[in-house]
Amino acid sequence: MDGTETFQFSALVVVGLLVFFYGGSFWMSTRIGKKDENADGYMTGGNNIGFGMSAASMTATWIWAASMYASATSGYTYGISGPIHYGLWGALMILFIYPFGKRIRSVAPKAHTLAEVMYARHGRSSQLMLAGSNVVGSLISLMSNFIAGGVLISLLSPFNFVQGVFAVAAGTLLYAVWSGFRASVLTDFVQVLAMLGAVVVIVPVIFFASGFPAAFETGAHQLTAQQGDFFSSEAFMNQGAPYIAAVLAYAIGNQTIAQRLFAVKESLIKPTFITATIGYGAMVIGVGMLGVLALYLGYDPGSDLNNLIPGMAATYLPPALLALFFIMIIGALSSTADADLCALSSITMTDFYGQAAAGKEKANPRTMLLVGRITMVVATAAAVAFASMRLSILDLLVFVGALWGALVFPVLASFYWEKVTSKAFTSSVIAALVVFLPVRFGWIPTDGAFGIFVDVVSVIGIGVVLGLMTFGFFGIKAAKVVGVLAAVLAAPFAIGHLHEHATLCGSLVAYAVSTVVCWAMSVRSGKTFDFSVIAQRTGDFDDASAHAAAVSADDGDNGGDGGDDGKAGVPQQAVSTDERPASAASAK
């Protein structure tokens, strides 16, 4: 790669491209704007978004600049199996959402956030845990996308990184704040079409311009034995396995995904998520192969692997296609950044103002809109400030996914099992985090007895992850069989060695501890819960009749117990049904 020159746009051309993209997005958002904006429409689009828009929005939200950058980083680090591990498992996690999503929508057809449903199910503590984790996760995601935009602009123009971050942040906020979720969905549709077209053209051009297929023959000496092995154990243990666990947690705990689940027509959940699965896998694996190509070519991205894709594009693409590439990456990061802004605004509108501060009966939809728009502005400013740290996007993704792993079982169990209590939910999440943090960051040496303990707990985590995946499609009996078999078969190979992989173990122990504690505290609780009352506790804020019928949930959860008996905040006519026996199978 020595002597290869990279192309840069002039400042005027970059400004023109940004004005074209963000100006067009803003124009589209104004076309759907309403003089009297509806708070529920601002958050979920009226729970009636069609197939095309929903599938495109789901695809665009899951495909962000970090997905493309991280997939290429994985290819550059682990060889050809890296993008496969990244893109394939990420795609399958979208697929795994839909059976759980159908259950969630049937229980809470007009909810706005998962945290809102957890409040209806358990009380305040579980709501704040889920809402708080999503605030952290969405801010990290927003920061990651701004970092990606800053890197792109600084490499392809005279502007520096900070100026690039400001440009992307201001452009995204410009159109997202106007009409909220409806603007996000509309622009996602256009953005995903542009991204699909760009990937089909750009990736092959870069491959052939760099000397493909000869480059894969002449550059083979650049690879280690593990990088050249399609079935690389290093790639699986450091990329594939952690990502399987991380993206399952993303799928269940992420408000940007939940928001689209609540927005799409209930009858279209399955085709929407299947379509998004295919679109995501094809695009992300395709772009990730640029990292593999860079590895064979001996391309040096410098100290920051986030430079990999922009650097390859600037080296091998002609100016016209480089402009298309620029729009593709800007579209990818903006589609997820606006989703993060919408998620954050929905959380503050619904969970912090609509229920915690004002109460559902007294929440003013106009005030909610103001709170949501202010949230977008504040979140953008915070993400811009954090973006200056220029952290590794891949590390951020895996960390947040593992962190959400502590919530997966308690959240899912709360939709299927009537015995789960608020105390069990709260205690299991806290216990999982207490174990996750020292394992993930190596605060306690894992040699000796503690290492064996981590291995054993991680093996349980393997069973939990595979069991949950099986449960969504095949039910509880198959899930138990798969989970137990997975743990038993993995034990001889994992115990004694697994603790050497801190990223993977951190995620697995979060799953295992939260599952064991939640199950142990709930199985003998003697509590029952009537899932039908969740629909009565959640719903539209703009509907005056709903306001009149709603009964404010009891805020005195006394350490997270409000709602354990299924009576906190339930309309009186539903209380008599709260104690009826139920089972996970019948609930499903």
Side-chain angles (χ1 to χ4, degrees):
M1 297 295 292
D2 293 340
T4 304
E5 295 183 359
T6 60
F7 178 84
Q8 275 198 338
F9 293 116
S10 67
L12 183 62
V13 169
V14 169
V15 170
L17 290 172
L18 290 173
V19 169
F20 169 76
F21 178 82
Y22 287 117
S25 298
F26 176 70
W27 178 80
M28 284 190 288
S29 70
T30 61
R31 303 296 294 176
I32 61 171
K34 297 181 179 180
K35 183 177 180 180
D36 295 319
E37 187 64 79
N38 179 289
D40 298 300
Y42 193 85
M43 291 187 281
T44 57
N47 310 106
N48 201 38
I49 304 295
F51 167 72
M53 288 289 187
S54 297
S57 184
M58 184 66 248
T59 305
T61 299
W62 203 254
I63 299 174
W64 44 329
S67 298
M68 296 185 177
Y69 281 32
S71 182
T73 297
S74 186
Y76 187 79
T77 305
Y78 302 113
I80 193 169
S81 62
I84 304 296
H85 281 305
Y86 190 96
L88 177 62
W89 302 125
L92 290 179
M93 288 310 104
I94 303 176
L95 186 65
F96 281 120
I97 298 171
Y98 95 76
F100 296 122
K102 291 174 68 176
R103 170 63 180 171
I104 292 170
R105 275 297 295 273
S106 68
V107 169
K110 287 188 172 292
H112 308 86
T113 70
L114 274 178
E116 177 188 13
V117 183
M118 288 300 101
Y119 175 62
R121 175 67 174 87
H122 293 303
R124 188 72 67 202
S125 60
S126 56
Q127 177 196 30
L128 294 180
M129 278 187 167
L130 198 54
S133 68
N134 267 285
V135 168
V136 173
S138 289
L139 281 175
I140 290 177
S141 172
L142 197 59
M143 176 185 67
S144 298
N145 283 287
F146 291 166
I147 289 173
V151 168
L152 177 70
I153 292 173
S154 65
L155 284 177
L156 299 183
S157 77
F159 297 112
N160 60 35
F161 172 77
V162 174
Q163 291 169 329
V165 168
F166 270 98
V168 171
T172 305
L173 180 64
L174 176 68
Y175 72 85
V177 77
W178 185 263
S179 297
F181 181 77
R182 289 184 295 107
S184 175
V185 171
L186 178 62
T187 54
D188 282 349
F189 182 79
V190 177
Q191 289 162 1
V192 80
L193 292 179
M195 284 190 285
L196 284 168
V199 168
V200 168
V201 174
I202 287 171
V203 173
V205 167
I206 293 178
F207 263 75
F208 287 108
S210 63
F212 175 84
F216 280 82
E217 298 176 4
T218 60
H221 68 279
Q222 305 274 2
L223 281 65
T224 65
Q226 284 287 319
Q227 289 173 331
D229 183 3
F230 184 79
F231 299 100
S232 167
S233 59
E234 183 178 316
F236 180 75
M237 295 301 294
N238 293 310
Q239 174 64 64
Y243 201 58
I244 293 172
V247 293
L248 177 60
Y250 263 95
I252 302 304
N254 193 331
Q255 171 59 19
T256 62
I257 308 302
Q259 198 163 13
R260 279 146 185 80
L261 173 64
F262 289 127
V264 65
K265 289 181 181 178
E266 193 168 347
S267 60
L268 298 175
I269 291 175
K270 181 177 179 179
T272 293
F273 284 92
I274 290 177
T275 303
T277 297
I278 298 170
Y280 174 91
M283 290 181 65
V284 171
I285 292 174
V287 173
M289 288 301 169
L290 294 179
V292 178
L293 178 63
L295 177 63
Y296 276 88
L297 293 171
Y299 180 82
D300 183 10
S303 60
D304 188 356
L305 289 177
N306 294 334
N307 296 335
L308 191 60
I309 288 183
M312 289 286 287
T315 301
Y316 291 109
L317 289 178
L321 288 182
L322 190 59
L324 182 62
F325 167 83
F326 184 88
I327 294 296
M328 177 186 78
I329 299 297
I330 292 295
L333 66 90
S334 298
S335 65
T336 305
D338 66 42
D340 287 317
L341 290 175
C342 291
L344 288 166
S345 66
S346 292
I347 290 170
T348 56
M349 290 168 72
T350 299
D351 299 303
F352 296 147
Y353 169 75
Q355 289 184 327
K360 187 170 177 60
E361 273 189 316
K362 300 178 181 178
N364 186 324
R366 289 185 176 274
T367 304
M368 293 183 75
L369 283 168
L370 178 62
V371 168
R373 287 172 170 147
I374 291 174
T375 297
M376 287 194 182
V377 175
V378 173
T380 300
V384 167
F386 292 139
S388 62
M389 300 168 65
R390 298 188 71 163
L391 302 173
S392 168
I393 291 175
L394 187 58
D395 288 345
L396 289 173
L397 287 174
V398 175
F399 171 74
V400 174
L403 192 63
W404 270 328
L407 287 157
V408 173
F409 182 85
V411 169
L412 288 179
S414 296
F415 282 101
Y416 290 91
W417 193 20
E418 81 284 356
K419 288 180 173 292
V420 179
T421 66
S422 180
K423 288 180 180 178
F425 186 107
T426 305
S427 301
S428 62
V429 173
I430 292 174
L433 293 178
V434 167
V435 179
F436 161 73
L437 292 172
V439 172
R440 175 63 181 84
F441 295 106
W443 294 347
I444 302 175
T446 54
D447 51 345
F450 185 70
I452 299 300
F453 168 77
V454 170
D455 290 344
V456 172
V457 176
S458 296
V459 166
I460 297 173
I462 293 172
V464 170
V465 171
L466 296 181
L468 288 174
M469 292 178 179
T470 304
F471 171 69
F473 290 99
F474 303 107
I476 188 64
K477 291 183 179 179
K480 289 178 179 179
V481 171
V482 170
V484 171
L485 282 178
V488 170
L489 294 175
F493 304 97
I495 297 176
H497 306 285
L498 199 57
H499 61 267
E500 298 171 1
H501 303 277
T503 300
L504 175 57
C505 283
S507 183
L508 291 176
V509 298
Y511 276 97
V513 172
S514 63
T515 299
V516 171
V517 173
C518 186
W519 175 84
M521 293 184 65
S522 300
V523 69
R524 297 184 182 278
S525 67
K527 303 290 185 180
T528 60
F529 182 82
D530 181 4
F531 288 97
S532 66
V533 303
I534 291 179
Q536 300 174 39
R537 303 182 192 185
T538 59
D540 292 342
F541 286 92
D542 281 278
D543 186 349
S545 62
H547 285 179
V551 176
S552 180
D554 183 6
D555 189 44
D557 59 356
N558 297 322
D561 288 339
D564 266 0
D565 56 2
K567 297 178 182 176
V570 185
Q572 290 300 311
Q573 65 269 26
V575 172
S576 60
T577 66
D578 248 10
E579 299 300 329
R580 67 172 179 83
S583 66
S586 64
K588 185 176 179 184

